[in-house]
Structure formats: structure tokens, C-alpha cells
């Protein structure tokens, strides 16, 4: 039977080209119609240090990076030693014999990546040598990579033809080395091409595309991993009349800049990671108090302090819900897939404009770097909410009543005082208890406008449910599918709208005896939040800096189900 799924890991040291190899391998298969997903992990230094990137190719939709490896491509000895045990039975290890030699490994064969590349006249074609070998192992037509090579490097530059020819020669050399090795894994089944157009993007790119689709006009940010690529993308693409992108000198400057721009009527956004978000707390409190719409994307990494700058975690939830002192509870939307990164960004801007305040887009490193082919968005079908602008006469009280009111724009009709102190309906500072009571209730009452969040439900009627959040959605869903296929009775729930939670979803999960929350943090943050709402929630936690393995998660959930069943039979 043909293989329907193929997982390859490229491992070595930063600067050896392995990230490029994995990206190109996934890109070529995407172009041909396969589903692909990548996962990368690397140290925080610019070059050097242990680095690896995994690419998964499938004939059907992919939800996780894949647990076991069909192929390990080891660029150095350290990579081989560290990753060889994750190669499945019947899998293959391709190692760079120009760097090190192996003896008596029945799963491995070597070829000199760089030497073979040099023989083509292009010393940088080592990744094509590797792809040629991989193509043979699973009987993939070399033409897939040749077509990708031609499309990728036809750039209208002198020397394009020579480069393409050298890369094609490298593909053939890699294939010849694999043929000599005698290794084969099996034939990869032909793709089942979807009936819609796709694009290959990573999570941060999807956030940027969503922001532009939502009408972003002003972006200021400070570079911090893993959010830096949002800033660099905006600097290259947020162009044209009325658009502005800029690198600030700090996260404090970033948040105050987007506050000022939104005060002036512009849709505004910044992006950061945990340490930078901490610096934005006071500015977010001002946005809440003055009722100024804006979006902050927090791309989570391991923490606290500097923590793990290039590893993934889901440990900022407590922080983003209440980043400022006093009574503040910010709206939070946490995408769980690359496609949801696009949708969640549009939703965040819509929420910000609707309730007139800051909204947190809570992504994470595992999504920021993950490349995945997603349905190409239909921009004409996107619903975008714009600002309600006051158009009457002077004497207008912006903060009158218990819900939102149109915003005056400075220089236009209506007086506008965006006050960080407690204020009266006009915006003037006041210390009267009755005014603080009125304004506090007004600010929290506006959150009721955000009860349009959607959710997924596969309610089997079981008293036990699994409900992941963020980037743990994919591994949790694969684990759930395995449990169902093995005869377990368990329900599934998921939403990217963490605050406020969809009211109907909350009603449903409150009826369960146990809601299991897989999440990448020590404290079980989301289950703590759910318990405050009266949900019988318990977390399965992991805090290694890596996402869940599906097999590990399946076992942990199964064990927890067994414990719950024993309780009910006693």
C-alpha cells in the first residue's frame, strides 16, 4: 500500500542550510498538491548551535508535526547522536559523510552533501542534493523538485538559468547516491488536490496578511523573538498613502505610539513577545481606561524573564488577561492553526473597533515559524468592522451611558479627552466614587458586545471532554481522533475566543464532569480560568519548550479517563 504520510527531519547546526532544505522540501510538495506542515526549533544565536526543522507531507490535512521520523537528514555528528532514536522502524538516516562517518548503522547511508554540491558549480546546492535522495526513497518524481526549482529561481536575473541547471544536476546526484545505497521506504501516494487555491505561509505571515485585510493603517514595533518577522514584514509591505510602519526604540514606545495613532483615528497594531508585553502593561491600562481600540499580538515564547527566546510555550495567558493594575480584563483571541492566525487577526481588529478598547492576539512560537498550506482567503467575503466616528456638534459626552458611543476624532466634531485618570462622561478627571462605579461598570459591560465567538463541538454525550487552546489544538485533535478510533467515549471542544468565551460553549462544558485541557505551561493556566467560570477543568501540562507529541498526549488523556472512570464506579 502506498504511503499517505511522510515525515523528514533536517538536523545540524545553524548556518548549514537545513532550514532552507526543509522549507524547500515542503514548498515543492505544496506546489504539487500535497498538504504540508513544518516545525522548526533553533537556539537564540544568529549562527551556530543545534538546529532542526521537520517537514511533514501528507495526502490529507495535517494537524501536527508528526511524532516518528521516516527520514533523518543529519548534517553533523551531534545531530545524528541526538535525533537517531526518533527514526521509526524501517526509516532511513541520511548523513553528511563530508562531516563525519558512521560504522554499522543498518538504517543509515552517507553522502558528501557539500562535495556533491561543489561538483555542480554551485556550492549552495547541497539542499537539492538532499532532496534528490529523498525523492528516491519514497519514489517521488524528480520532476516535482525540478518544477519547483524552475519556479523558485526564475527571477529575471542574470545567471538564473545556470543556477537552475546546477540545482537540477544536484538533484540527480542525490538520487544516484540514494540508488547506490539500496534504501527505499515505499511509494508516496499521489496527492489528492483540493478544489480550492492554496498558499504556503507561516503563522506570523498569516497575522500580517490578516491585519492588512482588516484595514491596518499604522504599525510600530520593536524587534523581539519570535515576533520580529511581523515588524520586518510590515516595513516591507505596509506601504502607500495613509500607511505607516516603523521600528521603535522600545516596547513602551511601541504601545504609546499605537495608542496615539488610534486616538487620531487610525487602525493600529503592534506585536511583541512576553518580555515586551510586560513593558506594555501601563499603556494597555491607558487604552482600557480611555477606551481606545488597538491590537497587540503577543507571540509567546518560553519564560519568564529572557526565558527560552526561540522555544514555544503557552504561559502568557494570565498576563494578557490582566496586564494592567486595577480592574482590567482584556479580550483575548488565541489562534490554533496557521489559517486561524489570519482569521483571528481580523476578528481582533473587529472586536477592538466594536467595543473600543485593546484586544490581545495570543499566538506562540510554534505557530510563528510553522509553514503550512492553507486555503487562499477570499478577501471579498471578509467582514470588516470600521470605527464608529462622531459626526455631531460640540458638547458631546464620549463616555455617556453604559456601552460604546461614537468616537470623536481630534480636529473634527466633538470634544475628545482621552483621560488615563478616572473621569466623568465628558472625560474630565474626577475622584467621585459614583463616577468610578459608573465607568468601571461601563468598561466591563462593553465586553458583552463580544459574544459572537465561534467554537467547535463534537459532543458524544460523554461526561468527559478534551478542550485544547492555541497551538496545542493540532496534536490534541490527532490524539482525540486516535482515542475515538480505539473506542474511547470522549467529547471535543475548541475555541480561539478565550475571553470572553462563547456563552453557549461555556454552558456546554459546565455540564461535563471533567474537561481535560492540554496546554504548554506549568500552572495549568487555561484550566484555572475555566474553573473560575465553574467548569470542572484539569490540565495536562508540558513545559519543555517543544509542542506535544501526539502519542504522549494520547496516553496521558487515556490515563486520565481511566482515573475518572474509577472514581465514578467506586
Amino acid at each position: 500500500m502506498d504511503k499517505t504520510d511522510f515525515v523528514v527531519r533536517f538536523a545540524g547546526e545553524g548556518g548549514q542550510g537545513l532550514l532552507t532544505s526543509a522549507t524547500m522540501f515542503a514548498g515543492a510538495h505544496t506546489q504539487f498538491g500535497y498538504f504540508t506542515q513544518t516545525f522548526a526549533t533553533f537556539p537564540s544565536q544568529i549562527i551556530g548551535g543545534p538546529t532542526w526543522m521537520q517537514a511533514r507531507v501528507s495526502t490529507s490535512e495535517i494537524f501536527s508535526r508528526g511524532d516518528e521520523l521516516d527520514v533523518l537528514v543529519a548534517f553533523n555528528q551531534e545531530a545524528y547522536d541526538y535525533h537517531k532514536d526518533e527514526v521509526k522502524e524501517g526509516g532511513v538516516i541520511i548523513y553528511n559523510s563530508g562531516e563525519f562517518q558512521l560504522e554499522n548503522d543498518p538504517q543509515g547511508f552517507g553522502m558528501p552533501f557539500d562535495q556533491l554540491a561543489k561538483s555542480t558549480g554551485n556550492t549552495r546546492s547541497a539542499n537539492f542534493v538532499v532532496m534528490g535522495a529523498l525523492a528516491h526513497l519514497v519514489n517521488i518524481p524528480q520532476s516535482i523538485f525540478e518544477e519547483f526549482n524552475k519556479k523558485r529561481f526564475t527571477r529575471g536575473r542574470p545567471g538564473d538559468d545556470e543556477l537552475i541547471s546546477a540545482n537540477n544536476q544536484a538533484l540527480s546526484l542525490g538520487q544516484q547516491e540514494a540508488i547506490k545505497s539500496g534504501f527505499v521506504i515505499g511509494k508516496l501516494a499521489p496527492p489528492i488536490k483540493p478544489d480550492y487555491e492554496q498558499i504556503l505561509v507561516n503563522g506570523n505571515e498569516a497575522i500580517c496578511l490578516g491585519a492588512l485585510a482588516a484595514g491596518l493603517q499604522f504599525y510600530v514595533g520593536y524587534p523581539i523573538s519570535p515576533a520580529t518577522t511581523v515588524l520586518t514584514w510590515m516595513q516591507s509591505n505596509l506601504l502607500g498613502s495613509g500607511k505607516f510602519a516603523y521600528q521603535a526604540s522600545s516596547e513602551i514606545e511601541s504601545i504609546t505610539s499605537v495608542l496615539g495613532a488610534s486616538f487620531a483615528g487610525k487602525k493600529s497594531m503592534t506585536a511583541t513577545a512576553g518580555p515586551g508585553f510586560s513593558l506594555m502593561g501601563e499603556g494597555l491600562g491607558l487604552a482600557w481606561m480611555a477606551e481606545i481600540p488597538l491590537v497587540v499580538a503577543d507571540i509567546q515564547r518560553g519564560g519568564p524573564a529572557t526565558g527560552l527566546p526561540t522555544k514555544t510555550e503557552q504561559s502568557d495567558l494570565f498576563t494578557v488577561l490582566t496586564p494592567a493594575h486595577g480592574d482590567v480584563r482584556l479580550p483575548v483571541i488565541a489562534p490554533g492553526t496557521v489559517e486561524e492566525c489570519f482569521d483571528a487577526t481580523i476578528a481582533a481588529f473587529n472586536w477592538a473597533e466594536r467595543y473600543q478598547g485593546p484586544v490581545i492576539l495570543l499566538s506562540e512560537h510554534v505557530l510563528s515559524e510553522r509553514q503550512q498550506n492553507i486555503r487562499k482567503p477570499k478577501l471579498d467575503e471578509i467582514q470588516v468592522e470600521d470605527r464608529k466616528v462622531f459626526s455631531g456638534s460640540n458638547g458631546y459626552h464620549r463616555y455617556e451611558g453604559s456601552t460604546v458611543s461614537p468616537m470623536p476624532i481630534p480636529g473634527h466634531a466633538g470634544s475628545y479627552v482621552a483621560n488615563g485618570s478616572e473621569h466623568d462622561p465628558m472625560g474630565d478627571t474626577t475622584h467621585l466614587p459614583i463616577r468610578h462605579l459608573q465607568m468601571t461598570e461601563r468598561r466591563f459591560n462593553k465586553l458583552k458586545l463580544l459574544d459572537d465567538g465561534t467554537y467547535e463541538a463534537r459532543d458524544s454525550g460523554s461526561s468527559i471532554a478534551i478542550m485544547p487552546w492555541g497551538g496545542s489544538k493540532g496534536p490534541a485533535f490527532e490524539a482525540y481522533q486516535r482515542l475515538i478510533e480505539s473506542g474511547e467515549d470522549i467529547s471535543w471542544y475548541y475555541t480561539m475566543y478565550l475571553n470572553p468565551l462563547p456563552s453557549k460553549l461555556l454552558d456546554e462544558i459546565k455540564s461535563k464532569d471533567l474537561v481535560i485541557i492540554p496546554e504548554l505551561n506549568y500552572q495549568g493556566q487555561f484550566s484555572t480560568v475555566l474553573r473560575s467560570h465553574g467548569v470542572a477543568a484539569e490540565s495536562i501540562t508540558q513545559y519543555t519548550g517543544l509542542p506535544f507529541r501526539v502519542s504522549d498526549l494520547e496516553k496521558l488523556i487515556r490515563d486520565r479517563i481511566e482515573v475518572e472512570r474509577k472514581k465514578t464506579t467506586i
Side-chain angles (χ1 to χ4, degrees):
M1 181 181 293
D2 291 349
K3 290 178 65 63
T4 59
D5 195 82
F6 180 64
V7 180
V8 57
R9 180 177 295 174
F10 303 80
E13 188 172 279
Q16 290 186 302
L18 56 103
L19 299 184
T20 301
S21 298
T23 300
M24 293 174 68
F25 184 78
H29 283 87
T30 298
Q31 184 175 301
F32 198 65
Y34 287 100
F35 291 89
T36 62
Q37 185 182 124
T38 67
F39 170 78
T41 181
F42 40 85
S44 55
Q45 59 259 46
I46 294 174
I47 193 169
T51 301
W52 57 274
M53 189 170 188
Q54 192 159 304
R56 184 178 182 187
V57 178
S58 179
T59 57
S60 57
E61 188 176 1
I62 297 173
F63 299 102
S64 75
R65 62 189 171 113
D67 287 357
E68 295 182 308
L69 308 180
D70 292 289
V71 177
L72 168 64
V73 181
F75 281 70
N76 59 25
Q77 179 79 52
E78 183 181 11
Y80 169 80
D81 292 339
Y82 186 80
H83 298 280
K84 61 184 175 64
D85 292 337
E86 294 190 57
V87 180
K88 66 174 60 172
E89 185 178 348
V92 174
I93 299 171
I94 305 174
Y95 65 91
N96 186 1
S97 60
E99 287 281 333
F100 67 104
Q101 293 292 328
L102 292 180
E103 294 183 4
N104 302 322
D105 188 329
Q107 285 187 287
F109 73 93
M111 58 183 190
F113 299 171
D114 299 320
Q115 183 180 331
L116 291 169
K118 188 176 181 180
S119 71
T120 71
N122 176 22
T123 58
R124 303 181 66 182
S125 66
N127 40 35
F128 279 92
V129 172
V130 171
M131 285 195 286
L134 291 170
H136 172 73
L137 290 179
V138 285
N139 198 23
I140 302 169
Q142 187 172 311
S143 59
I144 291 179
F145 297 105
E146 290 175 348
E147 184 181 339
F148 173 79
N149 176 35
K150 183 176 182 181
K151 186 173 181 179
R152 172 77 177 266
F153 294 104
T154 301
R155 302 162 297 181
R157 302 178 186 176
D160 279 358
D161 289 342
E162 290 82 358
L163 177 60
I164 292 168
S165 177
N167 289 339
N168 284 340
Q169 186 180 347
L171 285 169
S172 296
L173 290 172
Q175 185 178 52
Q176 290 166 21
E177 293 295 316
I179 291 171
K180 287 190 292 185
S181 76
F183 284 100
V184 290
I185 293 177
K187 183 180 179 182
L188 185 64
I192 305 171
K193 294 186 178 182
D195 58 358
Y196 52 82
E197 190 174 356
Q198 297 187 93
I199 57 174
L200 180 68
V201 294
N202 64 38
N204 278 3
E205 291 168 337
I207 286 173
C208 293
L209 293 168
L212 261 62
L216 177 67
Q217 299 165 291
F218 186 95
Y219 184 94
V220 170
Y222 182 77
I224 179 172
S225 297
T228 301
T229 53
V230 178
L231 168 63
T232 56
W233 195 98
M234 291 297 181
Q235 288 176 315
S236 299
N237 296 280
L238 187 61
L239 306 171
S241 177
K243 307 292 178 63
F244 182 79
Y246 180 73
Q247 179 178 320
S249 60
S250 73
E251 286 88 358
I252 295 174
E253 182 182 344
S254 297
I255 191 64
T256 51
S257 295
V258 297
L259 265 166
S262 186
F263 172 81
K266 301 294 184 181
K267 282 191 175 182
S268 304
M269 176 187 179
T270 187
T272 187
F277 190 86
S278 297
L279 293 173
M280 295 182 180
E282 187 175 3
L284 287 164
L286 174 57
W288 169 267
M289 190 73 150
E291 302 184 27
I292 298 176
L294 56 89
V295 173
V296 176
D298 176 10
I299 317 297
Q300 298 169 96
R301 69 193 210 188
T306 306
L308 300 169
T310 58
K311 306 300 179 185
T312 201
E313 210 162 76
Q314 295 176 292
S315 53
D316 288 357
L317 181 57
F318 287 160
T319 300
V320 299
L321 283 168
T322 56
H325 71 279
D327 280 323
V328 175
R329 190 78 163 180
L330 296 189
V332 176
I333 304 176
T337 67
V338 171
E339 189 166 14
E340 285 180 5
C341 285
F342 178 85
D343 297 332
T345 306
I346 296 170
F349 276 98
N350 286 346
W351 271 17
E353 294 297 335
R354 190 189 311 164
Y355 102 111
Q356 296 178 1
V359 174
I360 308 305
L361 180 65
L362 189 59
S363 186
E364 54 208 80
H365 180 270
V366 70
L367 294 174
S368 70
E369 299 288 344
R370 175 194 295 171
Q371 287 192 310
Q372 192 166 2
N373 50 331
I374 66 172
R375 182 188 296 266
K376 184 177 181 179
K378 296 182 179 180
L379 299 182
D380 57 343
E381 296 180 0
I382 294 171
Q383 300 296 316
V384 174
E385 299 180 31
D386 292 318
R387 186 157 309 181
K388 295 180 175 64
V389 177
F390 179 71
S391 59
S393 58
N394 288 331
Y396 177 62
H397 289 189
R398 160 82 199 286
Y399 303 106
E400 189 81 68
S402 60
T403 187
V404 297
S405 45
M407 294 180 62
I409 303 300
H412 296 80
S415 59
Y416 190 148
V417 179
N419 201 333
S421 297
E422 191 56 281
H423 42 260
D424 62 16
M426 184 181 293
D428 287 343
T429 298
T430 177
H431 301 287
L432 294 175
I434 187 62
R435 291 303 188 193
H436 186 50
L437 181 72
Q438 290 172 348
M439 292 298 133
T440 298
E441 291 178 355
R442 170 188 165 88
R443 289 187 287 269
F444 276 93
N445 191 60
K446 293 191 303 172
L447 295 175
K448 296 176 183 178
L449 298 172
L450 310 180
D451 192 29
D452 63 334
T454 57
Y455 65 95
E456 298 175 14
R458 297 187 179 203
D459 189 357
S460 67
S462 171
S463 62
I464 303 174
I466 178 173
M467 183 175 167
W469 68 277
S472 293
K473 177 186 181 181
F477 187 69
E478 281 199 24
Y480 162 78
Q481 287 182 314
R482 292 184 186 183
L483 290 164
I484 292 298
E485 289 169 2
S486 69
E488 290 286 359
D489 184 16
I490 187 171
S491 297
W492 164 271
Y493 291 96
Y494 168 80
T495 184
M496 63 181 182
Y497 300 94
L498 302 190
N499 187 56
L501 285 161
S503 56
K504 290 183 179 179
L505 167 63
L506 193 54
D507 289 341
E508 288 190 48
I509 59 177
K510 278 183 177 180
S511 69
K512 302 300 180 183
D513 292 338
L514 175 64
V515 179
I516 301 170
I517 312 295
E519 52 184 328
L520 301 177
N521 58 63
Y522 175 79
Q523 299 179 87
Q525 295 188 19
F526 190 39
S527 66
T528 300
V529 171
L530 290 176
R531 286 195 298 272
S532 73
H533 290 294
V535 179
E538 293 182 15
S539 291
I540 291 175
T541 63
Q542 178 175 296
Y543 33 94
T544 60
L546 296 173
F548 284 108
R549 283 166 51 96
V550 175
S551 55
D552 294 340
L553 193 52
E554 178 190 3
K555 182 181 184 305
L556 290 167
I557 295 171
R558 196 184 298 278
D559 290 346
R560 187 61 192 84
I561 292 172
E562 186 63 28
V563 170
E564 185 67 20
R565 284 183 179 151
K566 286 180 179 178
K567 285 167 54 178
T568 58
T569 57
I570 294 176

